[in-house]
Amino acid sequence: MVDKVRGLMMGRLQPIHDGHMDVIHRILNEVDEVVIGIGSAQISHTLTDPFTAGERIMMITKALSDGGIPANKYYVIPIQDIERNSLWVAQVMMLTPPFEVIYSGNPLVQRLFLEAGFKVTTPPLFNREIYSGTEVRRRMLDEEDWKSLLPSPVVNVIEEIDGINRIRHLARKEL
Ligand code: ATP
Ligand code: MG
């Protein structure tokens, strides 16, 4: 049996959106399995990182199922920040299944994995003006249409956890 080739994608996924889904589909066209690393896993309840790692796992697994990706094609692994860039690749490798290729547009992620000897690929950006976590969260705060940027099961999870009220509450000024 030939060994499986795995690709790694890293993101905070706050929340997973259709741009991330496009990358995940691309990765699975090129390799056997995708390892999805949830970055800054320890952070939640802030305006830039509103959702917990557990909530993000729910969103990701339901979005992938909805996108027709079987559960045996991916791993979702929360990865806490260690604030030591020179050790970060080791932290990722400690927590994840073995992988050979990194898919990332983030220069720091690219650089750290290149220096560790990995193959790094930059996936094309899918309509980045609107498909970005920052834009999704801005629309949530500004009462604009955020739902159309996300797979529908992600919308359902955000509603289940009262995510919009969480973000708007966090944005209030203390009186
Ligand atoms: P934020 O605005 O919160 O930083 P983000 O949209 O940049 O959110 P991240 O969770 O930071 O998403 O994940 C970053 C990775 O996701 C990038 O390195 C890139 O590979 C991928 N990605 C993000 N948006 C897109 C997109 N529109 N098309 C393709 N890939 C994307
Ligand atoms: Mg980003």
Side-chain angles (χ1 to χ4, degrees):
M1 204 184 80
V2 180
D3 284 346
K4 292 209 183 306
V5 178
R6 291 183 203 86
L8 172 78
M9 118 159 231
M10 285 294 314
R12 292 175 4 270
L13 303 156
Q14 289 280 13
I16 186 169
H17 53 65
D18 286 338
H20 299 125
M21 293 299 292
D22 185 70
V23 179
I24 292 166
H25 283 291
R26 276 172 196 280
I27 296 172
L28 285 173
N29 280 335
E30 292 182 12
V31 296
D32 300 301
E33 297 178 348
V34 60
V35 180
I36 301 169
I38 301 183
S40 301
Q42 81 282 8
I43 306 181
S44 71
H45 294 81
T46 70
L47 286 176
T48 47
D49 291 271
F51 306 117
T52 67
E55 289 163 347
R56 286 177 273 169
I57 291 172
M58 283 174 73
M59 295 175 200
I60 295 162
T61 54
K62 289 172 193 294
L64 268 55
S65 169
D66 183 63
I69 300 174
N72 64 359
K73 298 293 275 182
Y74 64 87
Y75 306 84
V76 183
I77 314 281
I79 297 172
Q80 297 191 15
D81 295 331
I82 54 169
E83 288 161 9
R84 285 161 183 79
N85 287 337
S86 65
L87 301 180
W88 183 72
V89 168
Q91 159 88 343
V92 174
M93 290 175 68
M94 176 179 76
L95 297 169
T96 52
F99 53 83
E100 290 72 36
V101 196
I102 319 305
Y103 293 83
S104 177
N106 180 299
L108 175 61
V109 173
Q110 292 174 340
R111 187 70 206 167
L112 295 176
F113 277 106
L114 280 173
E115 289 187 8
F118 282 91
K119 183 177 172 210
V120 174
T121 298
T122 307
L125 288 170
F126 177 70
N127 204 349
R128 180 67 173 164
E129 299 72 45
I130 61 167
Y131 293 112
S132 86
T134 301
E135 174 66 6
V136 172
R137 296 187 302 272
R138 186 195 67 74
R139 291 187 185 194
M140 288 171 165
L141 269 180
D142 293 347
E143 302 189 34
E144 292 178 25
D145 168 34
W146 53 274
K147 297 184 181 180
S148 65
L149 306 181
L150 308 178
S152 62
V154 178
V155 174
N156 295 341
V157 172
I158 290 168
E159 288 176 343
E160 177 189 333
I161 65 177
D162 202 22
I164 302 304
N165 281 333
R166 179 187 298 173
I167 288 178
R168 291 185 189 154
H169 199 151
L170 293 168
R172 287 184 205 162
K173 300 249 181 314
E174 185 174 340
L175 298 174

